[in-house]
Amino acid sequence: MRTSDRHLIRGFPIFRGVSDTLFERLVARAEIHDSQPGEVLLTEGDPPAFLFVLLNGLVEAYSSHAGVDATLSFIRPPGAFIVAAVWTGQVQLTSVRTVQTSRILRLPAEDVRAAIADDAAVASAIGLELAIRYRDIMRELKNQRMRSATERLANWLLLESEVAGSPTFRLGIGKGLLAARLGMAGEHLSRAFAILRDHGVTVAGNEVTVERERLADFARPSVLMDGQDI
Amino acid sequence: MRTSDRHLIRGFPIFRGVSDTLFERLVARAEIHDSQPGEVLLTEGDPPAFLFVLLNGLVEAYSSHAGVDATLSFIRPPGAFIVAAVWTGQVQLTSVRTVQTSRILRLPAEDVRAAIADDAAVASAIGLELAIRYRDIMRELKNQRMRSATERLANWLLLESEVAGSPTFRLGIGKGLLAARLGMAGEHLSRAFAILRDHGVTVAGNEVTVERERLADFARPSVLMDGQDI
DNA sequence: CGTAGCATTGATGTGGGTCAACGTATGTGG
DNA sequence: CCACATACGTTGACCCACATCAATGCTACG
């Protein structure tokens, strides 16, 4: 691994508070992998070979069962994925594929497990990442159980606009994928957008403009379901 | 805390590999609480005051939003709950209430956080618990997204029968609660049971008998969605 | 300028929610 | 021991969110 890469990743939350010695030990056999959209990084049912850290890009956790496909979550930098599988040593529950061109750090699972067992700072930092992932999925489950598809879209738009820091922004992803992410059919997404026209949303291709107040009245966002940790 | 209680909890997975010194430090300000069905143990939106460990009984994580209530998960012994909120120090995402008479250990959140920061064995053990919770919720999300309500019921019954080690067993909980747990209305649960009569399920009040093979043909269980970690 | 994706629109089907009525237990007090 | 109340489960009628299938439009790109 190049020194510049080493510098880049040293600052990642997954290494927060970790001593130089431990960092070197963790990174010794690590690899950085550049990945194109659509590349499958790991497959559900396999035992975890690496802990993955997303340096930049966007990645999708998904699953197939009995002919049904579902998108379960997106991971964005500086998040890590399959932390839980690495920690328990059990088989992975989801597959993961690249959505946007991404740069990914892979740490051999056994090295990670050894470091966790040895060092409180490592365990603490990776545990924090795991806790963030947990809360992410929990919010997703709540979102799924307690809101209609249109409400889910409304809250997604609200959050995107907030992250963009502007009422006008572009969807970073295709509408098909957005529909999957929100757990609805592509056709239904079109109709949901149509409904939201009455609640302060204007769509032009990939560009969306929202009147936040009006949309929020409809969406009823909640920090306990939207938002995101750190 | 009494010595007998101290002995009981010492063996719990959450303390696996933890030194006597750390154990004593963690337990110094801990309390054991006996709780009746229906008691609310903690409320979503509050900051975590304790890490909870379920010694015995059954407990339900749930949430309310905009007039909608949802049951999100059950925790059974020797599981812990709100691990993620304690780890991050952020507000709790769910409320938790007792379903069956339960005995619960409460460890002050700050003590837990301090111990995690200090000691790899503690961080490792509590992180493992968190990983198990993560995988639990992930399976639940998959279950929700990729199966119909009737399929969810079928797989629940299959799993219960397996845990009971017998094709005949009693539902440990009321049907109303079971419906909530499976994310469906009580009325629909009745109909789902009716459908499953054609697939090897016989119900008599609280007692269920399943022909496993036939039911499995319908339910199509998967270790990546059913089952449960340790 | 066709052809290959995507996205929208329309028609129709269905899983599952909701409301209401009706059982079926398990009490409780007369 | 019966009459009645309360809680819980079932059944039926109806409705709606959302899926599915099919046709059409839109943009892009060789």
Side-chain angles (χ1 to χ4, degrees):
Chain A
M1 184 180 303
R2 283 169 301 166
T3 317
S4 64
D5 287 337
R6 201 171 290 240
H7 254 80
L8 170 70
I9 65 178
R10 186 66 175 104
F12 266 61
I14 206 110
F15 298 117
R16 172 123 353 127
V18 172
S19 69
D20 289 342
T21 329
L22 256 296
F23 175 72
E24 287 306 329
R25 217 163 94 191
L26 266 172
V27 150
R29 300 202 295 157
E31 313 157 359
I32 284 182
H33 174 69
D34 288 300
S35 170
Q36 293 310 111
E39 186 186 333
V40 175
L41 298 169
L42 57 98
T43 305
E44 56 185 328
D46 289 350
F50 299 99
L51 177 69
F52 292 73
V53 183
L54 187 60
L55 304 181
N56 62 57
L58 177 63
V59 124
E60 174 199 10
Y62 67 99
S63 174
S64 300
H65 172 75
V68 183
D69 293 350
T71 293
L72 298 162
S73 81
F74 283 166
I75 296 107
R76 300 172 196 280
F81 46 106
I82 52 159
V83 188
V86 169
W87 204 299
T88 65
Q90 309 277 69
V91 295
Q92 296 154 176
L93 297 181
T94 63
S95 301
V96 177
R97 72 167 77 106
T98 304
V99 173
Q100 293 167 357
T101 304
S102 298
R103 176 152 259 240
I104 291 154
L105 174 67
R106 296 195 293 214
L107 305 164
E110 45 190 304
D111 295 358
V112 173
R113 253 179 261 123
I116 285 171
D118 273 16
D119 187 77
V122 171
S124 192
I126 298 182
L128 180 59
E129 176 62 29
L130 177 55
I132 292 170
R133 293 281 76 78
Y134 174 90
R135 289 166 64 87
D136 216 43
I137 297 293
M138 178 55 90
R139 279 191 254 253
E140 196 48 47
L141 182 60
K142 291 174 70 172
N143 207 17
Q144 184 72 28
R145 280 262 177 94
M146 306 202 279
R147 293 214 267 233
S148 72
T150 310
E151 287 174 321
R152 268 177 265 143
L153 173 59
N155 281 290
W156 169 277
L157 294 176
L158 226 37
L159 202 59
E160 284 294 288
S161 130
E162 215 163 282
V163 170
S166 148
T168 298
F169 58 94
R170 3 192 70 255
L171 270 43
I173 55 179
K175 294 194 184 167
L177 186 56
L178 177 57
R181 169 62 245 272
L182 295 173
M184 64 210 270
E187 297 91 322
H188 193 71
L189 180 68
S190 285
R191 298 184 229 270
F193 267 121
I195 292 168
L196 293 185
R197 268 192 241 125
D198 294 344
H199 300 280
V201 175
T202 321
V203 193
N206 219 330
E207 195 151 297
V208 182
T209 306
V210 303
E211 296 171 44
R212 285 192 204 162
E213 302 247 332
R214 264 180 81 199
L215 185 55
D217 280 350
F218 174 85
R220 280 180 298 186
S222 154
V223 279
L224 301 181
M225 218 178 315
D226 312 295
Q228 192 167 311
D229 294 303
I230 302 176
Chain B
M1 185 180 301
R2 281 169 302 165
T3 317
S4 63
D5 287 336
R6 200 171 288 238
H7 254 82
L8 170 71
I9 66 179
R10 188 63 175 104
F12 266 62
I14 206 109
F15 298 117
R16 174 128 345 131
V18 172
S19 70
D20 289 342
T21 328
L22 256 296
F23 175 73
E24 287 305 328
R25 217 164 94 193
L26 266 171
V27 150
R29 299 202 297 156
E31 312 156 0
I32 284 181
H33 174 69
D34 287 299
S35 170
Q36 293 309 112
E39 186 185 333
V40 175
L41 298 169
L42 57 99
T43 305
E44 57 184 328
D46 290 349
F50 300 99
L51 176 68
F52 291 72
V53 183
L54 186 60
L55 304 181
N56 62 57
L58 177 64
V59 125
E60 174 198 8
Y62 67 99
S63 174
S64 300
H65 173 75
V68 182
D69 293 350
T71 293
L72 298 162
S73 81
F74 284 166
I75 295 107
R76 299 172 194 278
F81 47 105
I82 53 158
V83 187
V86 169
W87 204 299
T88 65
Q90 310 278 69
V91 296
Q92 296 154 176
L93 297 180
T94 63
S95 302
V96 177
R97 73 167 77 104
T98 305
V99 174
Q100 293 167 357
T101 304
S102 298
R103 176 153 258 238
I104 290 153
L105 173 67
R106 298 195 292 214
L107 305 164
E110 45 190 305
D111 295 356
V112 172
R113 255 180 259 122
I116 285 171
D118 273 15
D119 186 76
V122 170
S124 191
I126 298 182
L128 180 59
E129 177 63 28
L130 177 55
I132 292 170
R133 293 279 78 75
Y134 174 91
R135 290 166 63 86
D136 214 44
I137 298 294
M138 178 56 90
R139 279 190 256 252
E140 196 48 46
L141 182 59
K142 292 174 69 171
N143 206 17
Q144 184 72 27
R145 280 261 178 93
M146 307 203 280
R147 293 214 267 233
S148 72
T150 310
E151 287 174 322
R152 269 178 263 142
L153 173 59
N155 282 289
W156 168 277
L157 294 176
L158 227 36
L159 201 58
E160 284 294 289
S161 127
E162 216 163 281
V163 170
S166 147
T168 298
F169 57 94
R170 0 193 71 256
L171 271 45
I173 55 180
K175 293 193 184 167
L177 186 57
L178 176 57
R181 169 62 246 272
L182 295 173
M184 65 210 273
E187 297 91 322
H188 193 71
L189 180 67
S190 284
R191 299 185 228 272
F193 267 121
I195 292 168
L196 293 185
R197 270 197 291 252
D198 294 345
H199 300 279
V201 175
T202 321
V203 193
N206 219 329
E207 195 150 296
V208 181
T209 306
V210 303
E211 296 171 44
R212 285 192 204 162
E213 303 248 330
R214 266 181 80 199
L215 184 55
D217 281 349
F218 174 86
R220 282 181 295 185
S222 153
V223 278
L224 302 180
M225 217 178 315
D226 312 295
Q228 190 168 314
D229 295 303
I230 303 175

PDB file of all heavy atoms in Angstrom, chain A residues 51-78:
ATOM      1  N   LEU A  51     -12.895  -7.406   6.314  1.00  0.00           N
ATOM      2  CA  LEU A  51     -13.711  -6.267   6.702  1.00  0.00           C
ATOM      3  C   LEU A  51     -13.502  -5.211   5.634  1.00  0.00           C
ATOM      4  O   LEU A  51     -12.367  -4.901   5.262  1.00  0.00           O
ATOM      5  CB  LEU A  51     -13.277  -5.725   8.065  1.00  0.00           C
ATOM      6  CG  LEU A  51     -14.020  -4.477   8.527  1.00  0.00           C
ATOM      7  CD1 LEU A  51     -15.469  -4.794   8.854  1.00  0.00           C
ATOM      8  CD2 LEU A  51     -13.356  -3.872   9.766  1.00  0.00           C
ATOM      9  N   PHE A  52     -14.614  -4.666   5.109  1.00  0.00           N
ATOM     10  CA  PHE A  52     -14.535  -3.670   4.042  1.00  0.00           C
ATOM     11  C   PHE A  52     -14.778  -2.282   4.589  1.00  0.00           C
ATOM     12  O   PHE A  52     -15.671  -2.082   5.413  1.00  0.00           O
ATOM     13  CB  PHE A  52     -15.602  -3.966   2.975  1.00  0.00           C
ATOM     14  CG  PHE A  52     -15.368  -5.222   2.184  1.00  0.00           C
ATOM     15  CD1 PHE A  52     -15.557  -6.468   2.749  1.00  0.00           C
ATOM     16  CD2 PHE A  52     -14.971  -5.152   0.851  1.00  0.00           C
ATOM     17  CE1 PHE A  52     -15.353  -7.629   2.010  1.00  0.00           C
ATOM     18  CE2 PHE A  52     -14.777  -6.310   0.102  1.00  0.00           C
ATOM     19  CZ  PHE A  52     -14.964  -7.546   0.688  1.00  0.00           C
ATOM     20  N   VAL A  53     -13.987  -1.342   4.109  1.00  0.00           N
ATOM     21  CA  VAL A  53     -14.208   0.056   4.463  1.00  0.00           C
ATOM     22  C   VAL A  53     -14.339   0.843   3.163  1.00  0.00           C
ATOM     23  O   VAL A  53     -13.488   0.738   2.274  1.00  0.00           O
ATOM     24  CB  VAL A  53     -13.044   0.628   5.287  1.00  0.00           C
ATOM     25  CG1 VAL A  53     -13.330   2.069   5.697  1.00  0.00           C
ATOM     26  CG2 VAL A  53     -12.769  -0.230   6.508  1.00  0.00           C
ATOM     27  N   LEU A  54     -15.414   1.602   3.065  1.00  0.00           N
ATOM     28  CA  LEU A  54     -15.638   2.367   1.841  1.00  0.00           C
ATOM     29  C   LEU A  54     -14.931   3.716   1.951  1.00  0.00           C
ATOM     30  O   LEU A  54     -15.308   4.563   2.764  1.00  0.00           O
ATOM     31  CB  LEU A  54     -17.141   2.561   1.635  1.00  0.00           C
ATOM     32  CG  LEU A  54     -17.538   3.210   0.299  1.00  0.00           C
ATOM     33  CD1 LEU A  54     -17.064   2.381  -0.873  1.00  0.00           C
ATOM     34  CD2 LEU A  54     -19.043   3.416   0.239  1.00  0.00           C
ATOM     35  N   LEU A  55     -13.921   3.909   1.115  1.00  0.00           N
ATOM     36  CA  LEU A  55     -13.132   5.152   1.161  1.00  0.00           C
ATOM     37  C   LEU A  55     -13.836   6.253   0.387  1.00  0.00           C
ATOM     38  O   LEU A  55     -13.935   7.378   0.834  1.00  0.00           O
ATOM     39  CB  LEU A  55     -11.732   4.901   0.602  1.00  0.00           C
ATOM     40  CG  LEU A  55     -10.961   3.771   1.303  1.00  0.00           C
ATOM     41  CD1 LEU A  55      -9.581   3.611   0.685  1.00  0.00           C
ATOM     42  CD2 LEU A  55     -10.839   4.044   2.795  1.00  0.00           C
ATOM     43  N   ASN A  56     -14.298   5.908  -0.812  1.00  0.00           N
ATOM     44  CA  ASN A  56     -15.261   6.784  -1.469  1.00  0.00           C
ATOM     45  C   ASN A  56     -16.072   6.016  -2.487  1.00  0.00           C
ATOM     46  O   ASN A  56     -15.741   4.891  -2.842  1.00  0.00           O
ATOM     47  CB  ASN A  56     -14.595   8.028  -2.074  1.00  0.00           C
ATOM     48  CG  ASN A  56     -13.610   7.662  -3.139  1.00  0.00           C
ATOM     49  OD1 ASN A  56     -13.941   7.009  -4.124  1.00  0.00           O
ATOM     50  ND2 ASN A  56     -12.354   8.065  -2.929  1.00  0.00           N
ATOM     51  N   GLY A  57     -17.170   6.617  -2.917  1.00  0.00           N
ATOM     52  CA  GLY A  57     -18.088   5.936  -3.814  1.00  0.00           C
ATOM     53  C   GLY A  57     -19.385   5.605  -3.086  1.00  0.00           C
ATOM     54  O   GLY A  57     -19.759   6.274  -2.123  1.00  0.00           O
ATOM     55  N   LEU A  58     -20.061   4.588  -3.584  1.00  0.00           N
ATOM     56  CA  LEU A  58     -21.341   4.185  -2.993  1.00  0.00           C
ATOM     57  C   LEU A  58     -21.550   2.708  -3.251  1.00  0.00           C
ATOM     58  O   LEU A  58     -21.288   2.216  -4.349  1.00  0.00           O
ATOM     59  CB  LEU A  58     -22.486   4.992  -3.616  1.00  0.00           C
ATOM     60  CG  LEU A  58     -23.900   4.633  -3.152  1.00  0.00           C
ATOM     61  CD1 LEU A  58     -24.072   4.906  -1.664  1.00  0.00           C
ATOM     62  CD2 LEU A  58     -24.933   5.408  -3.962  1.00  0.00           C
ATOM     63  N   VAL A  59     -22.073   2.034  -2.260  1.00  0.00           N
ATOM     64  CA  VAL A  59     -22.155   0.587  -2.289  1.00  0.00           C
ATOM     65  C   VAL A  59     -23.523   0.151  -1.753  1.00  0.00           C
ATOM     66  O   VAL A  59     -24.124   0.862  -0.958  1.00  0.00           O
ATOM     67  CB  VAL A  59     -20.947   0.079  -1.442  1.00  0.00           C
ATOM     68  CG1 VAL A  59     -21.359  -0.811  -0.341  1.00  0.00           C
ATOM     69  CG2 VAL A  59     -19.882  -0.495  -2.321  1.00  0.00           C
ATOM     70  N   GLU A  60     -24.026  -0.960  -2.253  1.00  0.00           N
ATOM     71  CA  GLU A  60     -25.385  -1.396  -1.948  1.00  0.00           C
ATOM     72  C   GLU A  60     -25.374  -2.794  -1.341  1.00  0.00           C
ATOM     73  O   GLU A  60     -24.810  -3.713  -1.931  1.00  0.00           O
ATOM     74  CB  GLU A  60     -26.182  -1.416  -3.266  1.00  0.00           C
ATOM     75  CG  GLU A  60     -27.578  -1.981  -3.187  1.00  0.00           C
ATOM     76  CD  GLU A  60     -28.132  -2.391  -4.565  1.00  0.00           C
ATOM     77  OE1 GLU A  60     -27.354  -2.401  -5.550  1.00  0.00           O
ATOM     78  OE2 GLU A  60     -29.318  -2.717  -4.653  1.00  0.00           O
ATOM     79  N   ALA A  61     -26.014  -2.955  -0.200  1.00  0.00           N
ATOM     80  CA  ALA A  61     -26.209  -4.292   0.370  1.00  0.00           C
ATOM     81  C   ALA A  61     -27.557  -4.816  -0.105  1.00  0.00           C
ATOM     82  O   ALA A  61     -28.560  -4.115   0.007  1.00  0.00           O
ATOM     83  CB  ALA A  61     -26.171  -4.245   1.894  1.00  0.00           C
ATOM     84  N   TYR A  62     -27.588  -6.030  -0.637  1.00  0.00           N
ATOM     85  CA  TYR A  62     -28.821  -6.557  -1.194  1.00  0.00           C
ATOM     86  C   TYR A  62     -28.899  -8.055  -0.936  1.00  0.00           C
ATOM     87  O   TYR A  62     -27.940  -8.672  -0.471  1.00  0.00           O
ATOM     88  CB  TYR A  62     -28.892  -6.267  -2.701  1.00  0.00           C
ATOM     89  CG  TYR A  62     -27.865  -7.013  -3.508  1.00  0.00           C
ATOM     90  CD1 TYR A  62     -28.203  -8.185  -4.191  1.00  0.00           C
ATOM     91  CD2 TYR A  62     -26.544  -6.571  -3.568  1.00  0.00           C
ATOM     92  CE1 TYR A  62     -27.253  -8.882  -4.915  1.00  0.00           C
ATOM     93  CE2 TYR A  62     -25.592  -7.264  -4.289  1.00  0.00           C
ATOM     94  CZ  TYR A  62     -25.946  -8.414  -4.966  1.00  0.00           C
ATOM     95  OH  TYR A  62     -24.999  -9.112  -5.676  1.00  0.00           O
ATOM     96  N   SER A  63     -30.039  -8.615  -1.281  1.00  0.00           N
ATOM     97  CA  SER A  63     -30.233 -10.036  -1.059  1.00  0.00           C
ATOM     98  C   SER A  63     -31.253 -10.592  -2.040  1.00  0.00           C
ATOM     99  O   SER A  63     -32.100  -9.855  -2.553  1.00  0.00           O
ATOM    100  CB  SER A  63     -30.709 -10.268   0.380  1.00  0.00           C
ATOM    101  OG  SER A  63     -31.036 -11.618   0.581  1.00  0.00           O
ATOM    102  N   SER A  64     -31.149 -11.868  -2.328  1.00  0.00           N
ATOM    103  CA  SER A  64     -32.128 -12.554  -3.174  1.00  0.00           C
ATOM    104  C   SER A  64     -32.656 -13.760  -2.419  1.00  0.00           C
ATOM    105  O   SER A  64     -31.900 -14.455  -1.757  1.00  0.00           O
ATOM    106  CB  SER A  64     -31.479 -13.047  -4.465  1.00  0.00           C
ATOM    107  OG  SER A  64     -30.950 -11.966  -5.188  1.00  0.00           O
ATOM    108  N   HIS A  65     -33.938 -13.971  -2.568  1.00  0.00           N
ATOM    109  CA  HIS A  65     -34.527 -15.145  -1.913  1.00  0.00           C
ATOM    110  C   HIS A  65     -35.781 -15.535  -2.660  1.00  0.00           C
ATOM    111  O   HIS A  65     -36.685 -14.718  -2.827  1.00  0.00           O
ATOM    112  CB  HIS A  65     -34.847 -14.842  -0.450  1.00  0.00           C
ATOM    113  CG  HIS A  65     -35.618 -15.926   0.233  1.00  0.00           C
ATOM    114  ND1 HIS A  65     -35.038 -17.111   0.632  1.00  0.00           N
ATOM    115  CD2 HIS A  65     -36.925 -16.021   0.573  1.00  0.00           C
ATOM    116  CE1 HIS A  65     -35.964 -17.874   1.197  1.00  0.00           C
ATOM    117  NE2 HIS A  65     -37.113 -17.241   1.170  1.00  0.00           N
ATOM    118  N   ALA A  66     -35.816 -16.793  -3.097  1.00  0.00           N
ATOM    119  CA  ALA A  66     -36.999 -17.317  -3.765  1.00  0.00           C
ATOM    120  C   ALA A  66     -37.446 -16.406  -4.915  1.00  0.00           C
ATOM    121  O   ALA A  66     -38.633 -16.131  -5.072  1.00  0.00           O
ATOM    122  CB  ALA A  66     -38.137 -17.509  -2.766  1.00  0.00           C
ATOM    123  N   GLY A  67     -36.472 -15.927  -5.676  1.00  0.00           N
ATOM    124  CA  GLY A  67     -36.817 -15.129  -6.843  1.00  0.00           C
ATOM    125  C   GLY A  67     -37.099 -13.665  -6.549  1.00  0.00           C
ATOM    126  O   GLY A  67     -37.355 -12.887  -7.462  1.00  0.00           O
ATOM    127  N   VAL A  68     -37.050 -13.275  -5.272  1.00  0.00           N
ATOM    128  CA  VAL A  68     -37.276 -11.881  -4.913  1.00  0.00           C
ATOM    129  C   VAL A  68     -35.936 -11.223  -4.585  1.00  0.00           C
ATOM    130  O   VAL A  68     -35.126 -11.797  -3.857  1.00  0.00           O
ATOM    131  CB  VAL A  68     -38.199 -11.769  -3.668  1.00  0.00           C
ATOM    132  CG1 VAL A  68     -38.486 -10.319  -3.335  1.00  0.00           C
ATOM    133  CG2 VAL A  68     -39.472 -12.550  -3.888  1.00  0.00           C
ATOM    134  N   ASP A  69     -35.711 -10.048  -5.151  1.00  0.00           N
ATOM    135  CA  ASP A  69     -34.507  -9.287  -4.824  1.00  0.00           C
ATOM    136  C   ASP A  69     -34.879  -8.106  -3.956  1.00  0.00           C
ATOM    137  O   ASP A  69     -35.932  -7.505  -4.142  1.00  0.00           O
ATOM    138  CB  ASP A  69     -33.844  -8.757  -6.095  1.00  0.00           C
ATOM    139  CG  ASP A  69     -33.281  -9.881  -6.948  1.00  0.00           C
ATOM    140  OD1 ASP A  69     -33.248 -11.027  -6.461  1.00  0.00           O
ATOM    141  OD2 ASP A  69     -32.894  -9.610  -8.094  1.00  0.00           O
ATOM    142  N   ALA A  70     -34.023  -7.767  -3.016  1.00  0.00           N
ATOM    143  CA  ALA A  70     -34.281  -6.591  -2.192  1.00  0.00           C
ATOM    144  C   ALA A  70     -32.991  -5.842  -1.923  1.00  0.00           C
ATOM    145  O   ALA A  70     -31.948  -6.458  -1.677  1.00  0.00           O
ATOM    146  CB  ALA A  70     -34.947  -6.994  -0.880  1.00  0.00           C
ATOM    147  N   THR A  71     -33.069  -4.529  -2.015  1.00  0.00           N
ATOM    148  CA  THR A  71     -31.967  -3.676  -1.586  1.00  0.00           C
ATOM    149  C   THR A  71     -32.164  -3.390  -0.114  1.00  0.00           C
ATOM    150  O   THR A  71     -33.230  -2.937   0.285  1.00  0.00           O
ATOM    151  CB  THR A  71     -31.974  -2.364  -2.380  1.00  0.00           C
ATOM    152  OG1 THR A  71     -31.672  -2.655  -3.734  1.00  0.00           O
ATOM    153  CG2 THR A  71     -30.929  -1.399  -1.837  1.00  0.00           C
ATOM    154  N   LEU A  72     -31.159  -3.643   0.693  1.00  0.00           N
ATOM    155  CA  LEU A  72     -31.334  -3.542   2.135  1.00  0.00           C
ATOM    156  C   LEU A  72     -30.736  -2.275   2.721  1.00  0.00           C
ATOM    157  O   LEU A  72     -31.274  -1.716   3.657  1.00  0.00           O
ATOM    158  CB  LEU A  72     -30.753  -4.785   2.798  1.00  0.00           C
ATOM    159  CG  LEU A  72     -31.495  -6.053   2.348  1.00  0.00           C
ATOM    160  CD1 LEU A  72     -30.686  -7.293   2.635  1.00  0.00           C
ATOM    161  CD2 LEU A  72     -32.869  -6.137   2.987  1.00  0.00           C
ATOM    162  N   SER A  73     -29.611  -1.843   2.163  1.00  0.00           N
ATOM    163  CA  SER A  73     -29.073  -0.566   2.617  1.00  0.00           C
ATOM    164  C   SER A  73     -27.998  -0.072   1.669  1.00  0.00           C
ATOM    165  O   SER A  73     -27.455  -0.839   0.872  1.00  0.00           O
ATOM    166  CB  SER A  73     -28.512  -0.666   4.042  1.00  0.00           C
ATOM    167  OG  SER A  73     -27.216  -1.224   4.032  1.00  0.00           O
ATOM    168  N   PHE A  74     -27.753   1.212   1.741  1.00  0.00           N
ATOM    169  CA  PHE A  74     -26.610   1.812   1.066  1.00  0.00           C
ATOM    170  C   PHE A  74     -25.545   2.065   2.120  1.00  0.00           C
ATOM    171  O   PHE A  74     -25.865   2.409   3.264  1.00  0.00           O
ATOM    172  CB  PHE A  74     -26.992   3.152   0.435  1.00  0.00           C
ATOM    173  CG  PHE A  74     -27.777   3.029  -0.832  1.00  0.00           C
ATOM    174  CD1 PHE A  74     -28.438   4.140  -1.350  1.00  0.00           C
ATOM    175  CD2 PHE A  74     -27.869   1.833  -1.531  1.00  0.00           C
ATOM    176  CE1 PHE A  74     -29.168   4.045  -2.526  1.00  0.00           C
ATOM    177  CE2 PHE A  74     -28.599   1.732  -2.707  1.00  0.00           C
ATOM    178  CZ  PHE A  74     -29.253   2.844  -3.206  1.00  0.00           C
ATOM    179  N   ILE A  75     -24.311   1.906   1.759  1.00  0.00           N
ATOM    180  CA  ILE A  75     -23.235   2.344   2.643  1.00  0.00           C
ATOM    181  C   ILE A  75     -22.462   3.434   1.914  1.00  0.00           C
ATOM    182  O   ILE A  75     -22.129   3.295   0.740  1.00  0.00           O
ATOM    183  CB  ILE A  75     -22.297   1.187   3.038  1.00  0.00           C
ATOM    184  CG1 ILE A  75     -23.049   0.151   3.851  1.00  0.00           C
ATOM    185  CG2 ILE A  75     -21.136   1.703   3.880  1.00  0.00           C
ATOM    186  CD1 ILE A  75     -23.338  -1.108   3.121  1.00  0.00           C
ATOM    187  N   ARG A  76     -22.221   4.523   2.637  1.00  0.00           N
ATOM    188  CA  ARG A  76     -21.482   5.662   2.108  1.00  0.00           C
ATOM    189  C   ARG A  76     -20.193   5.836   2.898  1.00  0.00           C
ATOM    190  O   ARG A  76     -20.116   5.404   4.054  1.00  0.00           O
ATOM    191  CB  ARG A  76     -22.317   6.942   2.234  1.00  0.00           C
ATOM    192  CG  ARG A  76     -23.628   6.886   1.475  1.00  0.00           C
ATOM    193  CD  ARG A  76     -24.507   8.094   1.800  1.00  0.00           C
ATOM    194  NE  ARG A  76     -25.882   7.873   1.379  1.00  0.00           N
ATOM    195  CZ  ARG A  76     -26.324   8.022   0.126  1.00  0.00           C
ATOM    196  NH1 ARG A  76     -25.499   8.427  -0.811  1.00  0.00           N
ATOM    197  NH2 ARG A  76     -27.579   7.784  -0.186  1.00  0.00           N
ATOM    198  N   PRO A  77     -19.197   6.490   2.322  1.00  0.00           N
ATOM    199  CA  PRO A  77     -17.963   6.737   3.067  1.00  0.00           C
ATOM    200  C   PRO A  77     -18.257   7.582   4.296  1.00  0.00           C
ATOM    201  O   PRO A  77     -19.150   8.432   4.226  1.00  0.00           O
ATOM    202  CB  PRO A  77     -17.094   7.532   2.080  1.00  0.00           C
ATOM    203  CG  PRO A  77     -17.770   7.416   0.755  1.00  0.00           C
ATOM    204  CD  PRO A  77     -19.191   7.101   0.998  1.00  0.00           C
ATOM    205  N   PRO A  78     -17.601   7.427   5.382  1.00  0.00           N
ATOM    206  CA  PRO A  78     -16.494   6.488   5.588  1.00  0.00           C
ATOM    207  C   PRO A  78     -16.959   5.209   6.278  1.00  0.00           C
ATOM    208  O   PRO A  78     -16.290   4.696   7.159  1.00  0.00           O
ATOM    209  CB  PRO A  78     -15.586   7.284   6.507  1.00  0.00           C
ATOM    210  CG  PRO A  78     -16.553   8.077   7.359  1.00  0.00           C
ATOM    211  CD  PRO A  78     -17.810   8.269   6.562  1.00  0.00           C
TER     212      PRO A  78
END
